[in-house]
Amino acid sequence: MKGIIYTRVSSEEQVKGTSLEHQEELCRNFCKDRGIEVLAVFREEGASAKTADRAEFLRAIEFCRKNKGKIDAFVVYKVDRFARNTEDHFYVRKMLLDYGATLNSVSEPIGNNPAEKFVETVLAGSAEFDNAVRKQRCVDGMISRLNQGINPWQPPIGYISPQTKKRGEKKNEPDKPHEEIFPIIQKGLKEFSKGLYSQAEMLNLFDKLGLSKIRGKKTRPQFVSKIFCNHLKFYAGILVNPWTKEEIRGIHKPMITKEEYHKIEIILSGRSNRVKHNRLNPNFPLKRTVLCGHCGMPLTGSCSTGNGGKYLYYHCRNRDCAMYGKAINKKKLEEDFVAELKRRTPKEKFLAIFKATILDLWEEKGKDFRMDAQKYERQIAILDGKRKRIFEMREDGSYSQKEFQERKEEIENEIVATKISLSETRIDQFDVEGILSYANNFISDLGRQWLDLSQSHSRFQKMVFPEGISYKRDEGFGTARMGLIYELNKTFGANKSLLVPLRGIEPRLTD
C-alpha cells in the first residue's frame, strides 16, 4: 500500500512547538504498523481553523488526483486536522474515494462499516462544534470591545492601529489619528460638507493637500468612493455592530462632527439645496479673462453701495499683490477692452488673402477627399455583393443558422464602418465660401461683436485671448498670446505675406 501524510496546526504557537513533528511521528508509526509506504508529507503551518481552502491541503488533494489509483491511504493524526466542518469533511472524503484513497485517522476509529461511519460523523460534527464555539468567542470579544467604543478591526486611512495583535495582546485602546493623513482627510470632508466640491473634484483636492505625496501614488476615484461609502460613520465617531446594526459612539477622535456627517449624507443622496457659485457673472464679463498686470491673477468683480447708488468695479483678489483691494472702474476697463479689440482686429487685406488661401487649400484637399469617396463607394458595392451571397448560401444550405448569423453580422459591421468613412469624405456638401464670408464679417469688427454679445462673452474672449490678457490701471493692456487667426494676422503685418505656414496651412501660389 502507498499513502501520504497530512499534518496541520492552526496557530503560530503550535508551529513553534512540537505539534507538527509529533503528529508526523505518530502518522509514520501508524503507516509502518499497517505496511503503508509514505510517498509524501504535507505540513500545514498556521492555517485558519475554520476554512477548507488551505494551500498544503490542496497540494495533497492534487497529489492524489494526479496519482489517481496509486494512493491508497490519506493519513491524518485526527479528524479535526482534516476538516472542522462536517459538510467539508464528507465532501473531501468522497473526493479521496474517487481518487482511490481512503481517509485514515491515527487516533480515531473511522472506516466504512456502520459503527465506524457513526463515530466518524460524531467526530467531524464535534470538530465543527468546536470551531463554532471558537468563532462565537471571537465574536463576543469583538462585540465587547465595540460596546466599549473601541473599533476591533483595522481602522480606515487617517488612523493608526495600536498593533496590539503583534504583541499578543487584545485591542483595548482606540485607534489614534495619523499625524499627516488625518488632517488632510479631515479638511477634505469638511470642505465637501459645505457643498463646494463634487466627489470627482475631491481627487484633486486631496492630492493638492499632499495625500498623493504621502501615499506615494495618485488618488483614485475608488479611494474617494470608499471614504464616502464605507468609512464616513467612523470618521464621524460612530461604530456599527455588523451583527445587530446598532450604532455605538466610538472613543476615537472623530474627523467631522455629527452635523457635518449629516450634511455629507444629504449631499450624497442628491437632496442638497446648495447653490452653486456662478463664476460667470453677467455684470462682470471680463472676470477671469483680464489678468492683474502685477501678479498675473485673474481679476474679479465686486459691487459697493453708497449715496450715489451701486458702484461696480474690478479688482485683484490676490492678498499678496500690491494692487489687492484697489478698484478698477468697470466702465473704464470695458471701454479699454473694446478699444484693444479694435486695435487687434485683422485688416481687410489680410482677411481677403486668408479667405483665398483657405479656399485654395480646400480645393486641393477636396480632390483627395473625392478620391477617397470613390474608393469607399467601390468597397460598399463589393460588401453589398458579399452580403447578398451570404443570404444565398443560407438558402441553399451551405451555411448553418449559426454560421449565417456570424457572417451576416460580420459583413454588416464592415458595411457600417465603410459608410461612416464615406460620409466623412463628403465635404462638397459644405458651403465653405459662405462660411468664410460669415467668419470674415464676424472678426472684422471684434469690438462691436463683443458689445453685441449677451451670453457668450467668455467663449468669445477665450477665442481671442485663450490665456487671458494682462491689464494695469492707468497703463492699459499688455501683450498676450491670441487665437490662431490673430497670430496669423500679426505674422502678416510683419511680413506682408502668408508664406510662413502655420499648423499645416500651406497655400498654393500662382505666378
Side-chain angles (χ1 to χ4, degrees):
M1 291 178 65
K2 300 181 188 295
I4 62 172
I5 294 173
Y6 172 70
T7 61
R8 172 178 175 263
V9 292
S10 58
S11 68
E12 291 297 326
E13 290 78 4
Q14 287 178 297
V15 173
K16 294 173 184 176
T18 59
S19 179
L20 279 172
E21 289 73 13
H22 186 57
Q23 283 184 47
E24 183 177 341
E25 181 185 354
L26 293 174
C27 288
R28 284 189 178 277
N29 290 339
F30 176 88
C31 292
K32 184 178 179 181
D33 293 342
R34 286 159 179 75
I36 300 172
E37 179 187 351
V38 178
L39 298 181
V41 177
F42 299 87
R43 294 162 57 97
E44 198 86 64
E45 300 183 9
S48 168
K50 65 184 180 182
T51 179
D53 186 18
R54 298 172 293 213
E56 288 302 305
F57 179 75
L58 289 175
R59 285 186 62 233
I61 294 293
E62 275 294 291
F63 187 87
C64 293
R65 183 184 67 80
K66 291 177 180 178
N67 295 277
K68 186 175 181 179
K70 298 177 182 178
I71 307 300
D72 303 295
F74 190 104
V75 181
V76 296
Y77 169 67
K78 200 175 181 181
V79 168
D80 67 0
R81 302 296 91 183
F82 178 70
R84 286 188 176 272
N85 177 288
T86 307
E87 185 178 350
D88 288 346
H89 174 93
F90 284 104
Y91 177 74
V92 178
R93 188 170 185 266
K94 180 183 180 300
M95 284 176 58
L96 289 174
L97 288 173
D98 291 341
Y99 300 148
T102 303
L103 177 65
N104 291 267
S105 171
V106 172
S107 58
E108 299 145 338
I110 61 174
N112 292 318
N113 65 52
E116 289 174 334
K117 281 187 175 181
F118 174 74
V119 172
E120 182 181 356
T121 303
V122 171
L123 292 172
S126 298
E128 184 176 359
F129 174 74
D130 176 63
N131 200 46
V133 168
R134 293 187 190 195
K135 181 180 177 182
Q136 187 59 48
R137 285 175 183 166
C138 181
V139 170
D140 290 344
M142 288 189 283
I143 290 175
S144 174
R145 288 191 287 281
L146 278 171
N147 289 334
Q148 295 170 27
I150 297 172
N151 170 44
W153 303 283
Q154 276 292 108
I157 187 167
Y159 290 85
I160 303 173
S161 176
Q163 302 296 325
T164 52
K165 190 174 182 180
K166 289 185 178 179
R167 302 195 298 267
E169 302 171 0
K170 291 185 177 180
K171 193 173 182 180
N172 54 13
E173 57 182 293
D175 302 303
K176 293 180 171 54
H178 189 288
E179 290 184 2
E180 295 178 295
I181 298 178
F182 181 93
I184 292 174
I185 304 292
Q186 183 183 50
K187 182 171 179 59
L189 291 175
K190 287 183 178 292
E191 290 295 308
F192 186 84
S193 71
K194 297 174 185 176
L196 300 177
Y197 294 87
S198 66
Q199 287 193 58
E201 291 170 334
M202 291 293 288
L203 299 175
N204 293 330
L205 177 61
F206 280 138
D207 286 349
K208 185 178 179 181
L209 294 172
L211 185 62
S212 60
K213 186 176 180 181
I214 296 170
R215 297 175 69 223
K217 55 185 177 181
K218 193 175 178 67
T219 303
R220 300 291 180 188
Q222 296 86 343
F223 175 86
V224 174
S225 177
K226 188 177 288 186
I227 285 178
F228 287 118
C229 298
N230 298 357
H231 306 317
L232 197 58
K233 286 187 177 180
F234 187 93
Y235 291 144
I238 303 168
L239 301 177
V240 179
N241 184 324
W243 297 281
T244 64
K245 307 304 178 186
E246 176 189 3
E247 292 188 355
I248 302 149
R249 183 177 179 80
I251 61 174
H252 60 280
K253 181 181 178 180
M255 282 188 184
I256 55 175
T257 64
K258 289 280 187 71
E259 182 182 1
E260 288 168 334
Y261 164 75
H262 290 302
K263 284 181 179 179
I264 292 174
E265 285 284 283
I266 290 172
I267 292 171
L268 293 174
S269 67
R271 291 180 279 122
S272 172
N273 292 323
R274 56 181 174 158
V275 178
K276 290 187 177 180
H277 181 62
N278 183 11
R279 294 183 174 184
L280 302 177
N281 189 331
N283 290 324
F284 301 100
L286 295 179
K287 180 181 174 183
R288 306 185 70 80
T289 293
V290 176
L291 314 176
C292 173
H294 294 269
C295 69
M297 288 284 287
L299 296 182
T300 188
S302 296
C303 174
S304 62
T305 305
N307 294 331
K310 289 185 177 181
Y311 173 70
L312 301 176
Y313 61 94
Y314 291 91
H315 61 94
C316 181
R317 55 191 175 89
N318 181 8
R319 292 178 180 273
D320 298 325
C321 180
M323 293 302 293
Y324 176 72
K326 296 180 180 179
I328 301 173
N329 183 277
K330 166 184 160 65
K331 183 179 179 182
K332 174 71 167 58
L333 177 59
E334 292 176 3
E335 286 176 350
D336 286 352
F337 184 74
V338 171
E340 184 68 17
L341 288 175
K342 289 181 178 179
R343 188 179 71 81
R344 293 174 181 258
T345 295
K347 300 296 184 288
E348 287 186 13
K349 185 176 181 181
F350 163 79
L351 294 174
I353 294 177
F354 180 78
K355 179 179 178 181
T357 302
I358 297 298
L359 286 172
D360 196 33
L361 178 65
W362 189 264
E363 179 61 28
E364 177 79 9
K365 296 295 182 184
K367 293 177 182 177
D368 295 335
F369 282 128
R370 283 188 285 275
M371 289 178 64
D372 287 341
Q374 292 171 4
K375 179 185 72 174
Y376 291 130
E377 286 170 351
R378 288 194 296 271
Q379 289 180 4
I380 290 172
I382 294 170
L383 291 171
D384 283 336
K386 287 184 177 181
R387 184 176 182 276
K388 183 179 179 181
R389 177 61 181 149
I390 289 169
F391 277 86
E392 291 173 351
M393 292 180 73
R394 171 57 183 155
E395 289 175 359
D396 64 22
S398 299
Y399 278 158
S400 66
Q401 177 62 34
K402 183 179 179 181
E403 290 170 332
F404 165 73
Q405 194 65 31
E406 288 178 357
R407 287 290 294 128
K408 183 173 81 72
E409 290 176 359
E410 180 183 342
I411 205 71
E412 286 177 348
N413 288 341
E414 288 187 49
I415 291 172
V416 169
T418 309
K419 284 183 175 179
I420 291 172
S421 299
L422 174 62
S423 66
E424 291 173 351
T425 64
R426 293 269 172 80
I427 64 168
D428 55 328
Q429 60 187 292
F430 297 109
D431 181 10
V432 65
E433 188 167 0
I435 293 171
L436 283 173
S437 296
Y438 175 80
N440 280 1
N441 290 334
F442 182 85
I443 62 179
S444 62
D445 191 355
L446 292 177
R448 170 55 55 188
Q449 296 294 346
W450 186 82
L451 288 171
D452 289 344
L453 291 171
S454 57
Q455 301 293 329
S456 304
H457 283 112
S458 177
R459 184 179 298 177
F460 174 86
Q461 288 153 200
K462 280 288 183 184
M463 180 181 71
V464 181
F465 302 110
E467 296 173 359
I469 182 170
S470 63
Y471 181 85
K472 286 186 179 180
R473 192 173 65 171
D474 301 327
E475 293 184 26
F477 287 96
T479 59
R481 186 177 76 82
M482 300 188 71
L484 175 61
I485 192 170
Y486 307 103
E487 291 292 333
L488 276 173
N489 181 48
K490 286 200 304 184
T491 303
F492 176 76
N495 301 320
K496 301 301 180 184
S497 74
L498 283 176
L499 290 174
V500 180
L502 185 61
R503 295 183 184 271
I505 297 178
E506 303 175 20
R508 286 191 299 119
L509 300 177
T510 57
D511 294 333

mmCIF file of all heavy atoms in Angstrom, residues 476-508:
data_model
loop_
_atom_site.group_PDB
_atom_site.id
_atom_site.type_symbol
_atom_site.label_atom_id
_atom_site.label_comp_id
_atom_site.label_asym_id
_atom_site.label_seq_id
_atom_site.Cartn_x
_atom_site.Cartn_y
_atom_site.Cartn_z
ATOM 1 N N GLY A 476 -2.976 100.444 -19.045
ATOM 2 C CA GLY A 476 -3.677 99.747 -20.116
ATOM 3 C C GLY A 476 -3.273 98.282 -20.247
ATOM 4 O O GLY A 476 -2.680 97.687 -19.339
ATOM 5 N N PHE A 477 -3.590 97.713 -21.416
ATOM 6 C CA PHE A 477 -3.364 96.289 -21.642
ATOM 7 C C PHE A 477 -1.929 95.991 -22.061
ATOM 8 O O PHE A 477 -1.278 96.812 -22.720
ATOM 9 C CB PHE A 477 -4.327 95.772 -22.720
ATOM 10 C CG PHE A 477 -5.753 95.657 -22.236
ATOM 11 C CD1 PHE A 477 -6.657 96.679 -22.465
ATOM 12 C CD2 PHE A 477 -6.166 94.535 -21.536
ATOM 13 C CE1 PHE A 477 -7.961 96.574 -22.005
ATOM 14 C CE2 PHE A 477 -7.466 94.427 -21.082
ATOM 15 C CZ PHE A 477 -8.362 95.450 -21.321
ATOM 16 N N GLY A 478 -1.468 94.796 -21.684
ATOM 17 C CA GLY A 478 -0.133 94.351 -22.072
ATOM 18 C C GLY A 478 -0.221 93.414 -23.267
ATOM 19 O O GLY A 478 -1.247 93.328 -23.948
ATOM 20 N N THR A 479 0.873 92.726 -23.538
ATOM 21 C CA THR A 479 0.888 91.772 -24.643
ATOM 22 C C THR A 479 0.202 90.474 -24.209
ATOM 23 O O THR A 479 0.095 90.172 -23.015
ATOM 24 C CB THR A 479 2.331 91.453 -25.057
ATOM 25 O OG1 THR A 479 3.033 90.921 -23.935
ATOM 26 C CG2 THR A 479 3.031 92.707 -25.553
ATOM 27 N N ALA A 480 -0.262 89.692 -25.193
ATOM 28 C CA ALA A 480 -0.928 88.426 -24.887
ATOM 29 C C ALA A 480 -0.912 87.537 -26.117
ATOM 30 O O ALA A 480 -0.912 88.029 -27.253
ATOM 31 C CB ALA A 480 -2.373 88.666 -24.450
ATOM 32 N N ARG A 481 -0.879 86.219 -25.868
ATOM 33 C CA ARG A 481 -0.997 85.287 -26.990
ATOM 34 C C ARG A 481 -2.441 85.271 -27.440
ATOM 35 O O ARG A 481 -3.351 85.185 -26.609
ATOM 36 C CB ARG A 481 -0.569 83.873 -26.558
ATOM 37 C CG ARG A 481 -0.541 82.901 -27.725
ATOM 38 C CD ARG A 481 -0.055 81.536 -27.278
ATOM 39 N NE ARG A 481 -1.075 80.807 -26.541
ATOM 40 C CZ ARG A 481 -2.068 80.111 -27.111
ATOM 41 N NH1 ARG A 481 -2.180 80.092 -28.433
ATOM 42 N NH2 ARG A 481 -2.935 79.458 -26.374
ATOM 43 N N MET A 482 -2.651 85.344 -28.758
ATOM 44 C CA MET A 482 -4.002 85.398 -29.288
ATOM 45 C C MET A 482 -4.359 84.090 -29.973
ATOM 46 O O MET A 482 -3.530 83.184 -30.110
ATOM 47 C CB MET A 482 -4.124 86.574 -30.258
ATOM 48 C CG MET A 482 -3.834 87.930 -29.631
ATOM 49 S SD MET A 482 -4.208 89.287 -30.732
ATOM 50 C CE MET A 482 -5.995 89.257 -30.760
ATOM 51 N N GLY A 483 -5.616 83.996 -30.422
ATOM 52 C CA GLY A 483 -6.066 82.829 -31.153
ATOM 53 C C GLY A 483 -5.336 82.706 -32.485
ATOM 54 O O GLY A 483 -4.678 83.655 -32.949
ATOM 55 N N LEU A 484 -5.453 81.543 -33.142
ATOM 56 C CA LEU A 484 -4.671 81.230 -34.337
ATOM 57 C C LEU A 484 -4.793 82.282 -35.432
ATOM 58 O O LEU A 484 -3.801 82.754 -35.974
ATOM 59 C CB LEU A 484 -5.107 79.859 -34.874
ATOM 60 C CG LEU A 484 -4.472 79.429 -36.189
ATOM 61 C CD1 LEU A 484 -2.968 79.334 -36.054
ATOM 62 C CD2 LEU A 484 -5.057 78.108 -36.643
ATOM 63 N N ILE A 485 -6.013 82.677 -35.745
ATOM 64 C CA ILE A 485 -6.190 83.604 -36.873
ATOM 65 C C ILE A 485 -5.570 84.966 -36.573
ATOM 66 O O ILE A 485 -5.041 85.636 -37.454
ATOM 67 C CB ILE A 485 -7.689 83.739 -37.234
ATOM 68 C CG1 ILE A 485 -7.828 84.461 -38.572
ATOM 69 C CG2 ILE A 485 -8.454 84.458 -36.146
ATOM 70 C CD1 ILE A 485 -9.244 84.418 -39.123
ATOM 71 N N TYR A 486 -5.570 85.352 -35.294
ATOM 72 C CA TYR A 486 -4.999 86.655 -34.926
ATOM 73 C C TYR A 486 -3.479 86.597 -34.896
ATOM 74 O O TYR A 486 -2.799 87.584 -35.166
ATOM 75 C CB TYR A 486 -5.571 87.098 -33.581
ATOM 76 C CG TYR A 486 -7.073 87.076 -33.593
ATOM 77 C CD1 TYR A 486 -7.777 86.041 -32.983
ATOM 78 C CD2 TYR A 486 -7.797 88.065 -34.260
ATOM 79 C CE1 TYR A 486 -9.153 85.993 -33.027
ATOM 80 C CE2 TYR A 486 -9.174 88.020 -34.318
ATOM 81 C CZ TYR A 486 -9.851 86.984 -33.700
ATOM 82 O OH TYR A 486 -11.214 86.930 -33.750
ATOM 83 N N GLU A 487 -2.941 85.421 -34.562
ATOM 84 C CA GLU A 487 -1.485 85.238 -34.650
ATOM 85 C C GLU A 487 -1.049 85.305 -36.118
ATOM 86 O O GLU A 487 0.002 85.856 -36.441
ATOM 87 C CB GLU A 487 -1.080 83.902 -34.031
ATOM 88 C CG GLU A 487 -1.249 83.830 -32.499
ATOM 89 C CD GLU A 487 -0.265 84.741 -31.783
ATOM 90 O OE1 GLU A 487 0.821 85.013 -32.341
ATOM 91 O OE2 GLU A 487 -0.590 85.205 -30.671
ATOM 92 N N LEU A 488 -1.860 84.719 -37.004
ATOM 93 C CA LEU A 488 -1.573 84.826 -38.441
ATOM 94 C C LEU A 488 -1.594 86.286 -38.892
ATOM 95 O O LEU A 488 -0.787 86.720 -39.713
ATOM 96 C CB LEU A 488 -2.602 84.025 -39.237
ATOM 97 C CG LEU A 488 -2.357 82.528 -39.403
ATOM 98 C CD1 LEU A 488 -3.563 81.880 -40.057
ATOM 99 C CD2 LEU A 488 -1.124 82.276 -40.240
ATOM 100 N N ASN A 489 -2.522 87.028 -38.347
ATOM 101 C CA ASN A 489 -2.641 88.448 -38.697
ATOM 102 C C ASN A 489 -1.377 89.200 -38.300
ATOM 103 O O ASN A 489 -0.888 90.064 -39.037
ATOM 104 C CB ASN A 489 -3.859 89.041 -38.001
ATOM 105 C CG ASN A 489 -4.052 90.508 -38.344
ATOM 106 O OD1 ASN A 489 -3.999 90.910 -39.516
ATOM 107 N ND2 ASN A 489 -4.250 91.332 -37.318
ATOM 108 N N LYS A 490 -0.827 88.874 -37.118
ATOM 109 C CA LYS A 490 0.416 89.520 -36.676
ATOM 110 C C LYS A 490 1.557 89.180 -37.617
ATOM 111 O O LYS A 490 2.380 90.022 -37.958
ATOM 112 C CB LYS A 490 0.765 89.084 -35.239
ATOM 113 C CG LYS A 490 -0.120 89.728 -34.181
ATOM 114 C CD LYS A 490 0.508 89.686 -32.801
ATOM 115 C CE LYS A 490 0.867 88.293 -32.367
ATOM 116 N NZ LYS A 490 1.385 88.257 -30.982
ATOM 117 N N THR A 491 1.621 87.887 -38.029
ATOM 118 C CA THR A 491 2.665 87.462 -38.965
ATOM 119 C C THR A 491 2.541 88.217 -40.289
ATOM 120 O O THR A 491 3.518 88.660 -40.873
ATOM 121 C CB THR A 491 2.567 85.946 -39.217
ATOM 122 O OG1 THR A 491 2.659 85.257 -37.969
ATOM 123 C CG2 THR A 491 3.670 85.469 -40.132
ATOM 124 N N PHE A 492 1.297 88.344 -40.743
ATOM 125 C CA PHE A 492 1.037 89.054 -41.996
ATOM 126 C C PHE A 492 1.441 90.516 -41.873
ATOM 127 O O PHE A 492 2.042 91.095 -42.766
ATOM 128 C CB PHE A 492 -0.442 88.951 -42.341
ATOM 129 C CG PHE A 492 -0.834 89.748 -43.574
ATOM 130 C CD1 PHE A 492 -0.514 89.276 -44.829
ATOM 131 C CD2 PHE A 492 -1.505 90.957 -43.454
ATOM 132 C CE1 PHE A 492 -0.873 89.997 -45.965
ATOM 133 C CE2 PHE A 492 -1.857 91.679 -44.577
ATOM 134 C CZ PHE A 492 -1.546 91.197 -45.828
ATOM 135 N N GLY A 493 1.156 91.117 -40.712
ATOM 136 C CA GLY A 493 1.509 92.512 -40.511
ATOM 137 C C GLY A 493 3.003 92.734 -40.525
ATOM 138 O O GLY A 493 3.490 93.772 -40.967
ATOM 139 N N ALA A 494 3.754 91.740 -40.060
ATOM 140 C CA ALA A 494 5.211 91.882 -40.010
ATOM 141 C C ALA A 494 5.860 91.571 -41.342
ATOM 142 O O ALA A 494 6.812 92.232 -41.759
ATOM 143 C CB ALA A 494 5.781 90.963 -38.926
ATOM 144 N N ASN A 495 5.334 90.552 -42.061
ATOM 145 C CA ASN A 495 5.975 90.075 -43.286
ATOM 146 C C ASN A 495 5.221 90.434 -44.562
ATOM 147 O O ASN A 495 5.704 90.172 -45.662
ATOM 148 C CB ASN A 495 6.148 88.548 -43.230
ATOM 149 C CG ASN A 495 6.975 88.133 -42.037
ATOM 150 O OD1 ASN A 495 7.957 88.766 -41.692
ATOM 151 N ND2 ASN A 495 6.560 87.065 -41.388
ATOM 152 N N LYS A 496 4.005 90.968 -44.424
ATOM 153 C CA LYS A 496 3.170 91.310 -45.576
ATOM 154 C C LYS A 496 2.909 90.108 -46.473
ATOM 155 O O LYS A 496 2.758 90.227 -47.672
ATOM 156 C CB LYS A 496 3.828 92.442 -46.405
ATOM 157 C CG LYS A 496 4.075 93.713 -45.632
ATOM 158 C CD LYS A 496 2.790 94.309 -45.062
ATOM 159 C CE LYS A 496 3.057 95.583 -44.291
ATOM 160 N NZ LYS A 496 1.836 96.109 -43.653
ATOM 161 N N SER A 497 2.926 88.935 -45.911
ATOM 162 C CA SER A 497 2.635 87.746 -46.714
ATOM 163 C C SER A 497 2.170 86.641 -45.797
ATOM 164 O O SER A 497 2.297 86.721 -44.586
ATOM 165 C CB SER A 497 3.886 87.294 -47.471
ATOM 166 O OG SER A 497 4.805 86.690 -46.576
ATOM 167 N N LEU A 498 1.610 85.598 -46.413
ATOM 168 C CA LEU A 498 1.224 84.411 -45.653
ATOM 169 C C LEU A 498 2.103 83.234 -46.067
ATOM 170 O O LEU A 498 1.689 82.089 -46.030
ATOM 171 C CB LEU A 498 -0.249 84.078 -45.916
ATOM 172 C CG LEU A 498 -1.263 84.952 -45.195
ATOM 173 C CD1 LEU A 498 -2.668 84.561 -45.631
ATOM 174 C CD2 LEU A 498 -1.141 84.866 -43.702
ATOM 175 N N LEU A 499 3.335 83.555 -46.476
ATOM 176 C CA LEU A 499 4.210 82.485 -46.948
ATOM 177 C C LEU A 499 4.673 81.581 -45.827
ATOM 178 O O LEU A 499 5.071 80.456 -46.064
ATOM 179 C CB LEU A 499 5.448 83.093 -47.659
ATOM 180 C CG LEU A 499 5.178 83.767 -48.999
ATOM 181 C CD1 LEU A 499 6.432 84.450 -49.500
ATOM 182 C CD2 LEU A 499 4.690 82.739 -50.010
ATOM 183 N N VAL A 500 4.667 82.088 -44.583
ATOM 184 C CA VAL A 500 5.105 81.264 -43.456
ATOM 185 C C VAL A 500 3.951 80.362 -43.035
ATOM 186 O O VAL A 500 2.927 80.856 -42.562
ATOM 187 C CB VAL A 500 5.546 82.147 -42.274
ATOM 188 C CG1 VAL A 500 5.999 81.256 -41.117
ATOM 189 C CG2 VAL A 500 6.663 83.077 -42.700
ATOM 190 N N PRO A 501 4.058 79.049 -43.233
ATOM 191 C CA PRO A 501 2.943 78.160 -42.894
ATOM 192 C C PRO A 501 2.772 78.028 -41.391
ATOM 193 O O PRO A 501 3.741 78.027 -40.643
ATOM 194 C CB PRO A 501 3.351 76.822 -43.518
ATOM 195 C CG PRO A 501 4.841 76.867 -43.544
ATOM 196 C CD PRO A 501 5.198 78.310 -43.766
ATOM 197 N N LEU A 502 1.545 77.933 -40.955
ATOM 198 C CA LEU A 502 1.241 77.754 -39.539
ATOM 199 C C LEU A 502 0.255 76.618 -39.380
ATOM 200 O O LEU A 502 -0.824 76.633 -39.958
ATOM 201 C CB LEU A 502 0.647 79.046 -38.965
ATOM 202 C CG LEU A 502 0.369 79.076 -37.466
ATOM 203 C CD1 LEU A 502 1.674 78.869 -36.691
ATOM 204 C CD2 LEU A 502 -0.264 80.409 -37.062
ATOM 205 N N ARG A 503 0.658 75.568 -38.597
ATOM 206 C CA ARG A 503 -0.203 74.419 -38.331
ATOM 207 C C ARG A 503 -0.677 73.753 -39.617
ATOM 208 O O ARG A 503 -1.846 73.397 -39.766
ATOM 209 C CB ARG A 503 -1.401 74.810 -37.459
ATOM 210 C CG ARG A 503 -1.006 75.265 -36.065
ATOM 211 C CD ARG A 503 -2.247 75.567 -35.257
ATOM 212 N NE ARG A 503 -1.917 76.088 -33.957
ATOM 213 C CZ ARG A 503 -1.715 75.345 -32.864
ATOM 214 N NH1 ARG A 503 -1.803 74.039 -32.936
ATOM 215 N NH2 ARG A 503 -1.435 75.897 -31.703
ATOM 216 N N GLY A 504 0.172 73.637 -40.601
ATOM 217 C CA GLY A 504 -0.167 72.872 -41.810
ATOM 218 C C GLY A 504 -0.906 73.653 -42.861
ATOM 219 O O GLY A 504 -1.319 73.107 -43.881
ATOM 220 N N ILE A 505 -1.109 74.974 -42.670
ATOM 221 C CA ILE A 505 -1.793 75.760 -43.704
ATOM 222 C C ILE A 505 -0.748 76.215 -44.711
ATOM 223 O O ILE A 505 0.071 77.082 -44.425
ATOM 224 C CB ILE A 505 -2.516 76.982 -43.098
ATOM 225 C CG1 ILE A 505 -3.608 76.501 -42.147
ATOM 226 C CG2 ILE A 505 -3.094 77.863 -44.179
ATOM 227 C CD1 ILE A 505 -4.347 77.618 -41.471
ATOM 228 N N GLU A 506 -0.715 75.605 -45.870
ATOM 229 C CA GLU A 506 0.285 75.905 -46.880
ATOM 230 C C GLU A 506 -0.419 76.253 -48.191
ATOM 231 O O GLU A 506 -0.835 75.365 -48.942
ATOM 232 C CB GLU A 506 1.218 74.711 -47.086
ATOM 233 C CG GLU A 506 1.895 74.281 -45.782
ATOM 234 C CD GLU A 506 2.708 73.033 -45.970
ATOM 235 O OE1 GLU A 506 3.069 72.716 -47.119
ATOM 236 O OE2 GLU A 506 2.986 72.354 -44.983
ATOM 237 N N PRO A 507 -0.608 77.513 -48.517
ATOM 238 C CA PRO A 507 -1.340 77.895 -49.734
ATOM 239 C C PRO A 507 -0.537 77.611 -50.991
ATOM 240 O O PRO A 507 0.682 77.663 -50.989
ATOM 241 C CB PRO A 507 -1.530 79.404 -49.561
ATOM 242 C CG PRO A 507 -0.385 79.823 -48.685
ATOM 243 C CD PRO A 507 -0.156 78.677 -47.750
ATOM 244 N N ARG A 508 -1.262 77.286 -52.072
ATOM 245 C CA ARG A 508 -0.630 77.161 -53.375
ATOM 246 C C ARG A 508 -0.540 78.548 -53.993
ATOM 247 O O ARG A 508 -1.492 79.313 -53.986
ATOM 248 C CB ARG A 508 -1.457 76.248 -54.291
ATOM 249 C CG ARG A 508 -1.342 74.784 -53.933
ATOM 250 C CD ARG A 508 -1.944 73.917 -55.021
ATOM 251 N NE ARG A 508 -3.369 74.200 -55.204
ATOM 252 C CZ ARG A 508 -3.886 74.648 -56.318
ATOM 253 N NH1 ARG A 508 -3.122 74.914 -57.358
ATOM 254 N NH2 ARG A 508 -5.186 74.865 -56.419
#
